Amino acid sequence: MDIQSLKVACSSCNLRELCLPMGLSAPEMVRLEDVVSNRRRVKRGAALFTIGEPFTALYAVRSGFFKTCVTSIDGRDQVTGFQMMGEIIGMDGIVHDQHACDAVALEDAEVCVLPFDKIEQLSREFSALQHHVHKIMSREIVRDQSVMLLLGTMRAEERLAAFLLNLVQRLHARGFSQSELVLRMTREEIGSYLGMKLETVSRTFSRFMDDDIIEVKQRYVLIKDTQGLEALANPHAAAGNAKAERNISAS
Amino acid sequence: MDIQSLKVACSSCNLRELCLPMGLSAPEMVRLEDVVSNRRRVKRGAALFTIGEPFTALYAVRSGFFKTCVTSIDGRDQVTGFQMMGEIIGMDGIVHDQHACDAVALEDAEVCVLPFDKIEQLSREFSALQHHVHKIMSREIVRDQSVMLLLGTMRAEERLAAFLLNLVQRLHARGFSQSELVLRMTREEIGSYLGMKLETVSRTFSRFMDDDIIEVKQRYVLIKDTQGLEALANPHAAAGNAKAERNISAS
DNA sequence: CGACCACTTGACAGCTCTCAAAGGTGGTGG
DNA sequence: CCACCACCTTTGAGAGCTGTCAAGTGGTCG
């Protein structure tokens, strides 16, 4: 245990199937461990990086929970994502060699530092790593597009339902419960992510409770009726929707 | 001219400073031309690719105008972007080896086909190309985040103003007017992108006209007061906003 | 234990959506 | 070449959802 906490070892990390080393061969992973030599602890409320800060590395979340936020010229800010263990942060910084968003820890956290020049160098040697890096960035693009869909077409109930389902789904993939979770963020942060005010988030939680779909006690959430929640997130999915059916039959 | 229309030549393409070959040396560009050997024409209204289609290549827009749209399980769809010449489409497909959105031509268009396996192969040889590919993907992530900010925090007037400013800015970078443009998309498509209904788009255009900030005649738009439009897009930028000022002083 | 922060709830206002009708524009076919 | 049709756009009226403002409660952390 002591040795592990001093030296990073992707090959023994229980996140390796979710994180950067996914799909690498044993010798490749050894070389990767050489690159991923540093860890960094981030206290709750502290920033891993901030807007404008020079970009040098990507970060793999090892433990803890982060939010990323962008800020407009006139000071409005928006949470663009919540990141949990195994997820990669910082790809926004590549294009201008400086970060385009803030990354803030929502609880005490630890990240693996992935110096980007080293990643690029190793990617030129190992096509598996190269392709995986591309996949990670592509996944982020696809995720962002689904958030656009949420923000552009959904109403408050649908947004919050989709948000909760997404969270438990990701937690479940990490070995946690399928129906229980502890929110690491405030109502205001949820609202910022979902494009609604904290009061609306709170009211919507209350409505879900009244409908007996979830149980909420502060940060703790129990999903009592997953199907009901799914129905709230996609209200027209069951009804014979022409477009949806076309998509299903096409695939 | 005939030769050029048969054979792609990045080195003589007037988009090379915006597109994939940016920053490559002469010999590198020659090798790239070998990869970018195919072009494809797409008629107005036709799809360059659709959701679920196998991913094989990225596409560089050579002429014409595209939209990309995602569709939810229950059939709602959302325009996630508009792409003009010099911009790269298709990065959504990398993660699952199939496209996650539709790309539809809004006018007759032509694209350069960039087979992705070839791009990856060449990226392993040329770090300049590798880094540029990363930048293009990172730029897309940053763009998506700014759309989230728009959808999450702005009101109809602000969204449409920001949209118009973004369009003319990109057109201007391509040598077009700074104050005049022709919309290639319908009010409904604008609305889908901006998360509002077509009627609201139309009404907001009318309000801008009443305020003498723009002139609109169907698809044609003349920006009469750029500063006024910027003020509409960032209403609190001028006022002494604490957060904005903190960002300015910090940078 | 106390202060502060997060959360909940209510009342009301306002923005955007919905539904509806009419006017334009561009394309197609006779 | 003209007429017709389909689609896009504009505008109005009213409804509904979410935001705003406000007050009070409860939980958490120093």
Side-chain angles (χ1 to χ4, degrees):
Chain A
M1 287 293 280
D2 278 335
I3 292 170
Q4 280 199 13
S5 70
L6 291 171
K7 172 90 176 87
V8 172
C10 294
S11 47
S12 65
C13 178
N14 58 1
L15 295 171
R16 67 182 177 282
E17 290 307 319
L18 291 162
C19 187
L20 198 63
M22 198 190 80
L24 295 192
S25 68
E28 286 170 345
M29 204 165 325
V30 170
R31 292 286 305 279
L32 182 64
E33 284 172 12
D34 215 43
V35 161
V36 187
S37 51
N38 267 340
R39 288 200 220 156
R40 189 171 142 193
R41 290 182 184 281
V42 187
K43 279 239 168 295
R44 179 184 155 191
L48 175 60
F49 53 77
T50 58
I51 297 174
E53 200 169 289
F55 166 77
T56 59
L58 302 179
Y59 303 93
V61 180
R62 209 177 137 73
S63 66
F65 213 91
F66 286 85
K67 67 170 178 181
T68 48
C69 343
V70 294
T71 305
S72 71
I73 303 172
D74 58 341
R76 279 181 283 208
D77 62 342
Q78 162 95 12
V79 173
T80 55
F82 298 107
Q83 294 81 19
M84 58 180 75
M85 49 192 201
E87 297 179 328
I88 309 288
I89 321 185
M91 293 169 286
D92 55 275
I94 300 168
V95 62
H96 294 123
D97 283 316
Q98 59 179 47
H99 285 287
C101 66
D102 297 327
V104 176
L106 297 179
E107 56 183 355
D108 291 358
E110 193 176 16
V111 298
C112 298
V113 181
L114 318 171
F116 193 62
D117 51 354
K118 301 266 182 61
I119 295 289
E120 286 193 329
Q121 196 180 312
L122 212 57
S123 284
R124 270 177 265 133
E125 284 186 56
F126 301 135
S127 63
L129 178 62
Q130 177 195 40
H131 194 59
H132 190 55
V133 169
H134 291 158
K135 281 193 172 186
I136 287 170
M137 298 187 75
S138 175
R139 175 178 304 137
E140 178 66 19
I141 290 169
V142 172
R143 188 193 71 84
D144 290 352
Q145 288 180 348
S146 77
V147 176
M148 285 186 221
L149 184 96
L150 180 145
L151 291 172
T153 72
M154 293 186 174
R155 298 182 318 163
E157 267 192 3
E158 301 162 1
R159 294 182 195 194
L160 191 61
F163 170 72
L164 289 174
L165 288 169
N166 175 274
L167 267 189
V168 286
Q169 179 258 314
R170 282 154 66 201
L171 287 167
H172 189 232
R174 284 158 182 78
F176 294 96
S177 167
Q178 218 167 143
S179 57
E180 241 176 330
L181 70 154
V182 176
L183 301 169
R184 303 302 180 181
M185 68 295 283
T186 66
R187 301 290 189 264
E188 185 170 14
E189 287 161 337
I190 296 172
S192 173
Y193 180 59
L194 298 179
M196 49 207 254
K197 295 295 164 187
L198 69 94
E199 293 94 330
T200 307
V201 175
S202 180
R203 268 187 255 274
T204 308
F205 269 131
S206 300
R207 208 173 319 144
F208 287 177
M209 283 194 73
D210 292 346
D211 297 348
D212 224 43
I213 288 177
I214 64 174
E215 207 175 296
V216 188
K217 183 138 195 177
Q218 299 296 126
R219 303 286 175 100
Y220 169 83
V221 177
L222 169 66
I223 298 176
K224 298 166 78 174
D225 179 2
T226 300
Q227 288 196 357
L229 204 58
E230 282 165 354
L232 282 172
N234 311 322
H236 303 296
N241 182 295
K243 275 192 174 172
E245 282 177 1
R246 206 187 35 166
N247 280 329
I248 289 165
S249 63
S251 65
Chain B
M1 288 295 281
D2 277 336
I3 292 169
Q4 279 199 16
S5 70
L6 290 172
K7 172 91 176 89
V8 171
C10 293
S11 46
S12 65
C13 178
N14 58 3
L15 294 171
R16 66 182 178 282
E17 290 306 320
L18 290 162
C19 188
L20 198 63
M22 198 190 82
L24 296 193
S25 68
E28 286 169 346
M29 204 162 329
V30 171
R31 292 286 305 279
L32 182 64
E33 283 170 14
D34 215 44
V35 161
V36 188
S37 52
N38 268 341
R39 287 200 221 155
R40 188 171 144 192
R41 290 180 184 284
V42 188
K43 281 240 166 295
R44 178 184 155 194
L48 175 60
F49 53 77
T50 57
I51 297 174
E53 202 169 289
F55 166 77
T56 59
L58 302 180
Y59 303 92
V61 181
R62 210 179 137 72
S63 66
F65 212 92
F66 286 85
K67 68 171 177 181
T68 47
C69 341
V70 295
T71 305
S72 71
I73 303 171
D74 58 343
R76 281 182 281 210
D77 62 340
Q78 162 94 11
V79 172
T80 54
F82 297 108
Q83 293 81 21
M84 57 179 74
M85 50 193 200
E87 297 179 329
I88 309 289
I89 321 185
M91 293 169 287
D92 54 275
I94 300 169
V95 61
H96 293 124
D97 283 316
Q98 60 178 49
H99 285 287
C101 66
D102 297 327
V104 176
L106 297 178
E107 55 184 356
D108 291 358
E110 193 177 17
V111 298
C112 298
V113 180
L114 318 172
F116 193 62
D117 52 354
K118 301 266 181 62
I119 295 288
E120 285 194 330
Q121 197 180 311
L122 212 57
S123 284
R124 270 176 264 135
E125 283 186 56
F126 301 136
S127 64
L129 178 63
Q130 178 195 38
H131 194 58
H132 190 53
V133 169
H134 291 157
K135 280 194 173 184
I136 287 170
M137 298 188 75
S138 175
R139 175 178 303 134
E140 177 66 18
I141 290 169
V142 172
R143 187 194 73 80
D144 290 351
Q145 288 180 348
S146 79
V147 175
M148 284 186 222
L149 185 99
L150 179 144
L151 291 172
T153 71
M154 294 185 174
R155 297 182 320 162
E157 268 192 3
E158 302 162 2
R159 294 182 195 194
L160 191 61
F163 170 71
L164 289 173
L165 288 168
N166 176 273
L167 267 189
V168 287
Q169 179 258 314
R170 282 155 65 199
L171 288 166
H172 189 231
R174 284 157 182 77
F176 295 96
S177 166
Q178 219 168 146
S179 58
E180 240 176 329
L181 70 154
V182 176
L183 300 170
R184 303 302 180 179
M185 68 295 284
T186 66
R187 302 288 188 265
E188 184 169 13
E189 286 162 339
I190 296 173
S192 172
Y193 181 57
L194 298 178
M196 49 207 254
K197 293 295 161 186
L198 68 95
E199 294 95 329
T200 308
V201 175
S202 180
R203 270 186 253 274
T204 309
F205 269 131
S206 301
R207 208 175 317 146
F208 287 177
M209 284 195 75
D210 292 347
D211 296 348
D212 224 42
I213 288 178
I214 64 174
E215 208 176 295
V216 188
K217 182 138 194 178
Q218 299 295 126
R219 303 286 175 100
Y220 168 84
V221 177
L222 170 66
I223 298 175
K224 298 166 78 172
D225 180 2
T226 300
Q227 287 194 0
L229 205 57
E230 282 165 354
L232 282 171
N234 310 321
H236 304 296
N241 181 296
K243 275 194 175 170
E245 283 176 0
R246 203 187 37 165
N247 280 330
I248 289 164
S249 64
S251 66

